[in-house]
Amino acid sequence: MGISGSKKVISHGLKHCTLWKADRSPPCRAVMMALDALNLSITEVDVNMDKGEHRGPELAVYNPLQTLPIFKDRELILNDSHAITSYLAARYCNSGKFLPKDPGGRAIIDQLMHYDSSILYPRFRAAAYPILYQNCKYVMPQQVCAIECAYRDLECMLVGRTWLGGSWPTLGDITIAATLSTLNVMVPVDPQRYPRLSSWLYRMSEEIYYITANKKGLGEFSRRLGELLEVNKRVTC
Amino acid sequence: MGISGSKKVISHGLKHCTLWKADRSPPCRAVMMALDALNLSITEVDVNMDKGEHRGPELAVYNPLQTLPIFKDRELILNDSHAITSYLAARYCNSGKFLPKDPGGRAIIDQLMHYDSSILYPRFRAAAYPILYQNCKYVMPQQVCAIECAYRDLECMLVGRTWLGGSWPTLGDITIAATLSTLNVMVPVDPQRYPRLSSWLYRMSEEIYYITANKKGLGEFSRRLGELLEVNKRVTC
């Protein structure tokens, strides 16, 4: 576990805030993208999940559920990425650009975040965990099917829209981009079947915070998955 | 599908708002409890899920995902119960009693709602749907195990607390009570193993909005489950 040395120079430093994270994890990358989008800099601590550091006694105090990310702002401790990103935007960003201040606008973003929480991320977990932790050598067919269903949902949500949550990218887009870009590694988003979703993901991949805060961890996830599938292939030969 | 006739006399009427709901559904009951807690009255339309009314063309316009509840406030349409209850509290309740106005207080409630979204409700669905829709005659052992894990999480979250989200019941407690009271029908919360959770559920069951807006639908769910298990038992005899 060590303080991340890769942080860019960003204007608004919050020395009293700390994020414990692993770049490979989509929820951690959602928080990291939100920080860069909101132009906020906080202390970031890398946690090695392969060594089980997130289950150690130091972090158990902050999160009995033993998940990442963990966020601390003085006395406030949060463990859910959606709650963390919304908090950062509501507390430290006056513009409301990424999280509207009016209740109706915010409700649209909340709804997207709950779609990620209840549908998208659980389907990522169900597809990825057997490969990462249970020696499975492929994405199981029922998981591919569930992920394709989610792609259809999102394709439908993008009818008549450039972004998921409004006229510009918001925390809703950022949250879903973190999970979707990772799902895309396992079950590629077919541009023929999902043209809107495919274009949206391409647009998101050009946003500066996606490049600074999502790309590296996504690459790490992709490499780790490739290694495991390769190892598993060898085992089964 | 018909306008609900069971609504109590409540002070603040919002004639421009409509909720399509089924009392048996925990997310619908979460919204109904929030409405009563916030002292709001809107048009409520009962949708018969057994007849597939939620998948009909009239409601598909409002919710391509074909789920309930559906909420409409003039041009704003929402389908996620957590986004709906937060919107109602933020838009129509000045006190912040059920959803704090400060970002830190709200983040705690958001986090509880995302726990419901990502863990509690998916485990309800995984346990209940095979019984409700796939002729299964019992809660499958792996689902019992997953539900007991969630009970342990919640028991842990209640250490040193009377309520989940603060010094009094909030939208976090209301949301979780809707799902947990339903899980309790399938996998009873053992007061010996989960004394805090059991006491919390008892306290919630005494709140007036629980009595007015959760009890009836919970009874319906319980009876329906009993009938199905009974029918299935007969089939296997």
Short mmCIF file of all heavy atoms in Angstrom, two decimals, chain A residues 4 6 21-26 28-29 32 44 46-47 213-214 216-218 220-221:
data_model
loop_
_atom_site.label_atom_id
_atom_site.label_comp_id
_atom_site.label_asym_id
_atom_site.label_seq_id
_atom_site.Cartn_x
_atom_site.Cartn_y
_atom_site.Cartn_z
N SER A 4 0.05 7.19 -4.11
CA SER A 4 0.22 7.18 -5.56
C SER A 4 1.11 8.33 -5.99
O SER A 4 0.92 9.47 -5.56
CB SER A 4 -1.16 7.30 -6.21
OG SER A 4 -1.03 7.37 -7.59
N SER A 6 1.53 9.11 -9.26
CA SER A 6 1.24 9.43 -10.66
C SER A 6 0.30 10.61 -10.83
O SER A 6 -0.14 10.90 -11.92
CB SER A 6 0.62 8.20 -11.33
OG SER A 6 -0.63 7.93 -10.73
N LYS A 21 -7.57 3.27 -3.04
CA LYS A 21 -8.11 2.78 -4.33
C LYS A 21 -7.19 1.76 -4.97
O LYS A 21 -6.00 1.65 -4.62
CB LYS A 21 -8.35 3.97 -5.26
CG LYS A 21 -7.17 4.94 -5.45
CD LYS A 21 -6.28 4.64 -6.60
CE LYS A 21 -5.18 5.64 -6.82
NZ LYS A 21 -4.16 5.22 -7.79
N ALA A 22 -7.75 1.03 -5.93
CA ALA A 22 -6.98 0.16 -6.81
C ALA A 22 -7.39 0.53 -8.22
O ALA A 22 -8.58 0.54 -8.54
CB ALA A 22 -7.29 -1.30 -6.52
N ASP A 23 -6.40 0.86 -9.06
CA ASP A 23 -6.71 1.36 -10.42
C ASP A 23 -7.53 0.37 -11.24
O ASP A 23 -8.29 0.77 -12.12
CB ASP A 23 -5.41 1.68 -11.18
CG ASP A 23 -4.71 2.90 -10.60
OD1 ASP A 23 -5.31 3.58 -9.75
OD2 ASP A 23 -3.57 3.16 -11.00
N ARG A 24 -7.36 -0.92 -10.95
CA ARG A 24 -8.04 -1.96 -11.73
C ARG A 24 -9.56 -1.95 -11.52
O ARG A 24 -10.32 -2.41 -12.36
CB ARG A 24 -7.48 -3.31 -11.29
CG ARG A 24 -7.46 -4.37 -12.32
CD ARG A 24 -6.65 -5.57 -11.85
NE ARG A 24 -7.28 -6.25 -10.72
CZ ARG A 24 -6.67 -7.19 -9.99
NH1 ARG A 24 -5.41 -7.51 -10.26
NH2 ARG A 24 -7.27 -7.78 -9.00
N SER A 25 -9.98 -1.43 -10.36
CA SER A 25 -11.40 -1.49 -9.98
C SER A 25 -12.24 -0.39 -10.64
O SER A 25 -11.93 0.80 -10.51
CB SER A 25 -11.48 -1.37 -8.45
OG SER A 25 -12.60 -0.63 -8.05
N PRO A 26 -13.31 -0.76 -11.36
CA PRO A 26 -14.16 0.27 -12.00
C PRO A 26 -14.71 1.33 -11.02
O PRO A 26 -14.64 2.52 -11.34
CB PRO A 26 -15.28 -0.53 -12.66
CG PRO A 26 -14.72 -1.91 -12.84
CD PRO A 26 -13.78 -2.12 -11.71
N CYS A 28 -13.39 2.47 -8.32
CA CYS A 28 -12.29 3.37 -7.96
C CYS A 28 -12.01 4.33 -9.12
O CYS A 28 -11.79 5.54 -8.91
CB CYS A 28 -11.02 2.57 -7.64
SG CYS A 28 -11.16 1.60 -6.13
N ARG A 29 -12.03 3.78 -10.34
CA ARG A 29 -11.78 4.65 -11.51
C ARG A 29 -12.89 5.68 -11.71
O ARG A 29 -12.64 6.78 -12.19
CB ARG A 29 -11.60 3.79 -12.76
CG ARG A 29 -10.17 3.22 -12.87
CD ARG A 29 -9.96 2.48 -14.16
NE ARG A 29 -10.31 1.07 -14.05
CZ ARG A 29 -11.20 0.44 -14.81
NH1 ARG A 29 -11.85 1.11 -15.76
NH2 ARG A 29 -11.45 -0.83 -14.63
N MET A 32 -11.87 8.40 -9.41
CA MET A 32 -10.68 9.09 -9.93
C MET A 32 -11.04 9.99 -11.11
O MET A 32 -10.54 11.12 -11.21
CB MET A 32 -9.63 8.05 -10.35
CG MET A 32 -9.04 7.30 -9.15
SD MET A 32 -8.35 5.67 -9.62
CE MET A 32 -6.99 6.15 -10.65
N GLU A 44 -4.08 10.16 -2.68
CA GLU A 44 -4.56 8.87 -3.19
C GLU A 44 -3.60 7.77 -2.74
O GLU A 44 -2.39 7.90 -2.90
CB GLU A 44 -4.66 8.90 -4.72
CG GLU A 44 -5.69 9.91 -5.20
CD GLU A 44 -5.89 9.89 -6.71
OE1 GLU A 44 -5.37 8.97 -7.38
OE2 GLU A 44 -6.58 10.80 -7.22
N ASP A 46 -2.64 3.78 -3.08
CA ASP A 46 -2.84 2.53 -3.83
C ASP A 46 -2.93 1.35 -2.88
O ASP A 46 -2.08 1.19 -2.00
CB ASP A 46 -1.69 2.32 -4.81
CG ASP A 46 -1.79 3.27 -6.00
OD1 ASP A 46 -2.89 3.40 -6.55
OD2 ASP A 46 -0.77 3.90 -6.36
N VAL A 47 -3.93 0.52 -3.08
CA VAL A 47 -4.13 -0.67 -2.25
C VAL A 47 -4.00 -1.89 -3.15
O VAL A 47 -4.66 -1.95 -4.20
CB VAL A 47 -5.53 -0.63 -1.58
CG1 VAL A 47 -5.75 -1.89 -0.74
CG2 VAL A 47 -5.70 0.63 -0.74
N ALA A 213 -7.52 9.34 -15.95
CA ALA A 213 -7.89 8.58 -14.74
C ALA A 213 -8.50 7.21 -15.01
O ALA A 213 -8.67 6.43 -14.07
CB ALA A 213 -8.86 9.41 -13.89
N ASN A 214 -8.86 6.90 -16.25
CA ASN A 214 -9.47 5.59 -16.51
C ASN A 214 -8.57 4.67 -17.32
O ASN A 214 -8.57 3.47 -17.12
CB ASN A 214 -10.80 5.77 -17.26
CG ASN A 214 -11.65 4.50 -17.25
OD1 ASN A 214 -11.94 3.95 -16.17
ND2 ASN A 214 -12.04 4.02 -18.41
N LYS A 216 -5.27 4.03 -17.65
CA LYS A 216 -4.21 3.21 -17.06
C LYS A 216 -4.80 1.98 -16.34
O LYS A 216 -4.39 0.85 -16.57
CB LYS A 216 -3.40 4.07 -16.08
CG LYS A 216 -2.31 3.33 -15.33
CD LYS A 216 -1.44 4.30 -14.53
CE LYS A 216 -0.64 3.59 -13.45
NZ LYS A 216 -1.39 3.40 -12.20
N GLY A 217 -5.78 2.21 -15.49
CA GLY A 217 -6.39 1.11 -14.73
C GLY A 217 -7.12 0.13 -15.63
O GLY A 217 -7.12 -1.08 -15.38
N LEU A 218 -7.73 0.66 -16.67
CA LEU A 218 -8.43 -0.21 -17.63
C LEU A 218 -7.42 -1.11 -18.34
O LEU A 218 -7.67 -2.31 -18.53
CB LEU A 218 -9.17 0.66 -18.65
CG LEU A 218 -10.05 -0.06 -19.67
CD1 LEU A 218 -11.16 -0.83 -18.98
CD2 LEU A 218 -10.65 0.93 -20.66
N GLU A 220 -4.57 -2.06 -17.07
CA GLU A 220 -4.15 -3.05 -16.05
C GLU A 220 -5.14 -4.19 -15.96
O GLU A 220 -4.78 -5.36 -15.91
CB GLU A 220 -4.08 -2.37 -14.67
CG GLU A 220 -2.73 -1.81 -14.35
CD GLU A 220 -2.70 -1.18 -12.97
OE1 GLU A 220 -3.38 -1.66 -12.04
OE2 GLU A 220 -2.01 -0.15 -12.84
N PHE A 221 -6.45 -3.83 -15.94
CA PHE A 221 -7.50 -4.86 -15.87
C PHE A 221 -7.42 -5.77 -17.10
O PHE A 221 -7.48 -6.99 -17.00
CB PHE A 221 -8.88 -4.22 -15.77
CG PHE A 221 -10.01 -5.22 -15.88
CD1 PHE A 221 -10.40 -5.94 -14.76
CD2 PHE A 221 -10.65 -5.46 -17.09
CE1 PHE A 221 -11.40 -6.89 -14.85
CE2 PHE A 221 -11.65 -6.41 -17.19
CZ PHE A 221 -12.03 -7.12 -16.07
#
